[in-house]
Structures are given as C-alpha cells and as structure tokens.
Amino acid sequence: MSSEPLVVVEGLRKVYRSGPKEVVALREVSFEAYPGELVAIRGRSGSGKTTLLNQIGGLDRPDAGRVVVAGQEVTSLPEEALLALRRDVVGFVFQSFGLIPVLSAAENVGVPMRLARTPVEEREKRVRMLLSLVGLEQHLNQRPYELSGGQRQRVAIARSLANRPRLLVADEPTGQLDSQTGRQIMQLIRALVRSEGVTALVATHDQSLISLADRVLEISDGVLREAALQES
Ligand code: ADP
Ligand code: MG
C-alpha cells in the first residue's frame, strides 16, 4: 500500500435545508482511502451514503470540510475543473445504471471518451477491451433494453473505466439486482480494482457484499466510523 492517500476527506458536513426543516446528512466525516483499496461504505437507507459519495465525486458541495482526490481539492475547484475531474479522474457507477437507452453497449462505453476527445480508433479499441473485461464482448451492439440488469451494470462499469479513472465511486451498484447477480457484480468490481489498480468506494447496505472489501466504513445518521475488519 502506498503511503499517499488517493482520497482525503476531512471534517465533511452537509446540511439539507428545505424550508424551516434542516437535515444534517453528514456530521464531520473524515477518512482516507489509498491507491488500490476497495472500501465499502455500509449504512441503512437515509444514513448519508449518497450524500458522502456525491461530495467526494464533485457532484455536490458540502457546508464544511474538504475533499482531496488525487491531489486536487475537489471542494474548492471551480465548475470547469470539476467537470474535468468527473470526466477524467472519477468513474461513477449508480444503482440505476444510467445508460443512454438509444445507444448500444459499445456507444454507451464510448461516451466519456467522446467527451475527452479521444481519437476514434483508440476509442473503439478501448471500448472493445473494456467490454471484454466485463465479459460482454458478445454484446457490443445491443441496446440497454436488450440486456439483463446484470449486463447493464457491466456496461455501466465498463463506461466508468473509460477514461482510466483513479477513483471509482459506486453508489449501491447492486441495489437493483438479485442477490446472485449482485454478488457477481461486486466480484467484478473486486477483480477490476486489482487489475486496473483503481481505488473504489462502494456504498451498499448489502451485508453479503461486505466481505469482498478491503475495509469497511460504517455510516449511521451522518456519522462515519471504521467498522471492525472482517476476514472473507
Ligand atoms: P443514503 O444514500 O444512505 O440512503 P442519503 O445521502 O441519500 O442517504 O440521505 C441522507 C439524509 O439526507 C436523509 O435523511 C435524506 O432524506 C436527506 N437528503 C438527501 N438528499 C436530500 C435533498 N436533496 N434534500 C433534502 N434532504 C435530503
Ligand atoms: Mg443512497
């Protein structure tokens, strides 16, 4: 393990205000994640997992505290630099896959590379490589509705890796899948973290997936703590 953390979170606080009501979603959350680590963030629905991942990936801004990813202070980046960070440094995987319905699997995976203006030939080569990495080399031209839930999530994972991110942020990636498919997806993420050397932060409330993580962080009512290490 390298001594330099890839992700540093310090004193993160997030308050949602809707009218007179306040919800404190994150309470002074701090932790670090190192290159090549698979960190599970476990907590019940409403505990603050999505809020935490959104602040880390630069999708939202906290009320206090800071986030550093790959040496960049996400929490103080101007909008344009945030766009670049989300395109080049962070790969996102969501519960609902987030694929574009009218595009084929290959085209979906190619989208981030189009945004990064990757030359066509290189793009097509990497799309094929990524889709075979996730076991979908036979399904390049199928659209999302022609794929199973597990296959859709594989496409989304391939897409998340398109621009060689250093950080993978996965928010309940198995939440819409049956338990066996969910386990396969988690095993795929586990294997990709090893083979691609990325760091992954995976939010889940699925107990059966926790054993695949290197570390487990527990979040409850916006308070994060390190959970006891478990042997798989
Ligand atoms: P989780 O992902 O663990 O289910 P969330 O981060 O989505 O939890 O939510 C944490 C808390 O913040 C919950 O109480 C939720 O209702 C609240 N919350 C989340 N997003 C918003 C929002 N946009 N506006 C107001 N409250 C929100
Ligand atoms: Mg959530």
Side-chain angles (χ1 to χ4, degrees):
M1 193 180 284
S2 155
S3 55
E4 279 284 294
L6 183 78
V7 179
V8 180
V9 174
E10 273 174 12
L12 212 55
R13 182 176 181 81
K14 178 72 183 180
V15 183
Y16 291 112
R17 294 175 186 85
S18 43
K21 240 187 83 204
E22 277 199 349
V23 176
V24 184
L26 297 176
R27 300 169 195 267
E28 283 66 45
V29 167
S30 300
F31 74 96
E32 294 178 349
Y34 289 82
E37 260 194 320
L38 172 50
V39 179
I41 298 168
R42 175 174 65 191
R44 312 183 121 154
S45 179
S47 57
K49 302 180 298 297
T50 295
T51 303
L52 176 58
L53 292 181
N54 286 351
Q55 317 304 309
I56 294 170
L59 296 169
D60 194 11
R61 295 193 192 264
D63 291 270
R66 62 183 208 130
V67 173
V68 181
V69 174
Q72 293 193 70
E73 189 162 334
V74 176
T75 31
S76 62
L77 282 182
E79 204 53 44
E80 202 165 312
L82 265 186
L83 274 174
L85 179 99
R86 295 197 297 255
R87 185 190 62 214
D88 303 329
V89 183
V90 186
F92 293 92
V93 176
F94 301 102
Q95 178 173 350
S96 53
F97 321 130
L99 301 176
I100 300 173
V102 298
L103 300 184
S104 68
E107 288 165 340
N108 267 286
V109 175
V111 166
M113 288 180 263
R114 283 178 184 271
L115 295 174
R117 302 189 189 287
T118 305
V120 180
E121 238 173 79
E122 186 187 332
R123 188 175 80 218
E124 289 179 350
K125 202 169 141 209
R126 186 158 172 81
V127 163
R128 280 193 300 275
M129 190 284 280
L130 286 165
L131 281 170
S132 67
L133 200 62
V134 299
L136 290 180
E137 59 275 33
Q138 306 297 331
H139 302 271
L140 299 183
N141 297 318
Q142 282 168 249
R143 301 214 175 145
Y145 67 86
E146 298 168 321
L147 298 167
S148 69
Q151 288 173 330
R152 287 181 208 183
Q153 195 60 300
R154 286 170 190 272
V155 174
I157 290 168
R159 180 186 56 187
S160 76
L161 296 172
N163 291 332
R164 299 183 174 83
R166 299 189 59 192
L167 177 65
L168 190 64
V169 168
D171 192 358
E172 304 210 35
T174 66
Q176 280 190 19
L177 305 173
D178 63 78
S179 58
Q180 192 189 343
T181 307
R183 189 161 180 85
Q184 287 165 357
I185 289 295
M186 194 65 181
Q187 282 165 339
L188 173 65
I189 291 173
R190 169 75 274 177
L192 290 172
V193 167
R194 291 224 170 90
S195 69
E196 307 302 292
V198 296
T199 302
L201 304 178
V202 182
T204 182
H205 57 238
D206 189 339
Q207 190 58 38
S208 70
L209 305 179
I210 298 289
S211 61
L212 292 166
D214 295 313
R215 262 166 71 210
V216 181
L217 303 174
E218 181 97 45
I219 186 165
S220 174
D221 201 15
V223 178
L224 189 88
R225 63 177 181 79
E226 196 98 15
L229 270 177
Q230 326 188 339
E231 290 302 314
S232 53

